[in-house]
Amino acid sequence: MTIRVFLVDDQALVRAGFAMVIGAQEDMHVVGEAGDGAAALATLATTPADVVLMDIRMPRMDGVEATRQLLSRPEPTPKVIVLTTFDLDEYAFAALRAGASGFLLKDASPDDLLSAIRSIHGGDAVIAPSTTRRLLDHIAATLPAPPSASDEPDPLTLLTEREREVLLELVRGASNAEIGERLFLSEGTVKTHVGRILSKLDLRDRVQAVVWAYEHQLVRPGE
């Protein structure tokens, strides 16, 4: 299956460079491009895409708001990889909260770019949970306060004890194989647990699980 990629960046030269790299691959092609978030949303309304490379800082509408609006549309929606100049960028975190499946630095190598597109299309997150945690630690002071006590049930009660153990290992950045080794489970069983965790907490992927854990103080910066 050919991966349909859509490019969003306010710099034409950047889009041209990405298009050249992607166009040389047999398993993917560029289906369209836009110079800002608003134009991207308009074009993507009629142009099917599997993966969107979304610049963070653009005129008219930035990549965070464009990601939020794009992923609020009826499914199926494309996966989003946000592009940033800075490794520890609060805008990248905002995009992850909006539903992006990962972020890449703009100076990433062509191999890293192509690997990210294939990973996203295959259902994985581009960035490791450990990288997300480093980003979250960096901007911990800006994180929202934990939900106050209310009549709403604690979402953690939705998880079994084993699922909570798997979630904690996932948040620490462990792979499925590493989680299985630590908890004496098969890799397939771990994958099943991860899928159930994401479903029960209404999360898109492992990166979203790390963001959720921070926001609910399941883990704290520096732990």
Side-chain angles (χ1 to χ4, degrees), residues 21-33:
V21 172
I22 293 168
Q25 308 306 305
E26 294 183 356
D27 62 338
M28 61 183 73
H29 72 281
V30 175
V31 295
E33 56 183 73

Side-chain angles (χ1 to χ4, degrees), residues 12-57:
L13 281 175
V14 172
R15 298 198 307 271
F18 285 150
M20 183 171 60
V21 172
I22 293 168
Q25 308 306 305
E26 294 183 356
D27 62 338
M28 61 183 73
H29 72 281
V30 175
V31 295
E33 56 183 73
D36 62 72
L41 291 174
T43 305
L44 285 167
T46 57
T47 303
D50 300 307
V51 177
V52 175
L53 296 181
M54 182 80 74
D55 188 19
I56 285 284
R57 309 187 188 206

Side-chain angles (χ1 to χ4, degrees), residues 147-167:
S148 58
S150 68
D151 293 332
E152 295 187 11
D154 180 354
L156 274 178
T157 61
L158 298 172
L159 305 181
T160 65
E161 183 177 351
R162 178 61 86 184
E163 287 167 351
R164 293 187 195 189
E165 292 175 337
V166 171
L167 175 59

Side-chain angles (χ1 to χ4, degrees), residues 56 61 67 76 103 107 141 143 162 165 177 193 198 207 216:
I56 285 284
M61 181 185 292
T67 296
F103 69 89
D107 61 359
L143 295 179
R162 178 61 86 184
E165 292 175 337
H193 282 311
L198 298 180
V207 170
H216 289 78

Side-chain angles (χ1 to χ4, degrees), residues 2-13:
T2 302
I3 305 172
R4 300 167 296 184
V5 183
F6 193 92
L7 307 175
V8 189
D9 196 292
D10 62 338
Q11 298 181 51
L13 281 175

Side-chain angles (χ1 to χ4, degrees), residues 157-207:
T157 61
L158 298 172
L159 305 181
T160 65
E161 183 177 351
R162 178 61 86 184
E163 287 167 351
R164 293 187 195 189
E165 292 175 337
V166 171
L167 175 59
L168 282 173
E169 292 295 338
L170 185 157
V171 169
R172 292 180 180 124
S175 66
N176 285 354
E178 290 169 337
I179 295 172
E181 183 176 344
R182 294 172 186 173
L183 300 181
F184 304 102
L185 300 170
S186 71
E187 191 169 344
T189 299
V190 172
K191 186 175 181 179
T192 298
H193 282 311
V194 171
R196 288 175 178 167
I197 291 166
L198 298 180
S199 177
K200 288 181 178 181
L201 300 180
D202 194 25
L203 303 171
R204 293 175 64 90
D205 53 41
R206 300 165 76 99
V207 170

Side-chain angles (χ1 to χ4, degrees), residues 204-220:
R204 293 175 64 90
D205 53 41
R206 300 165 76 99
V207 170
Q208 291 275 296
V210 181
V211 174
W212 184 93
Y214 264 72
E215 290 183 332
H216 289 78
Q217 291 197 345
L218 186 62
V219 292
R220 291 176 174 80

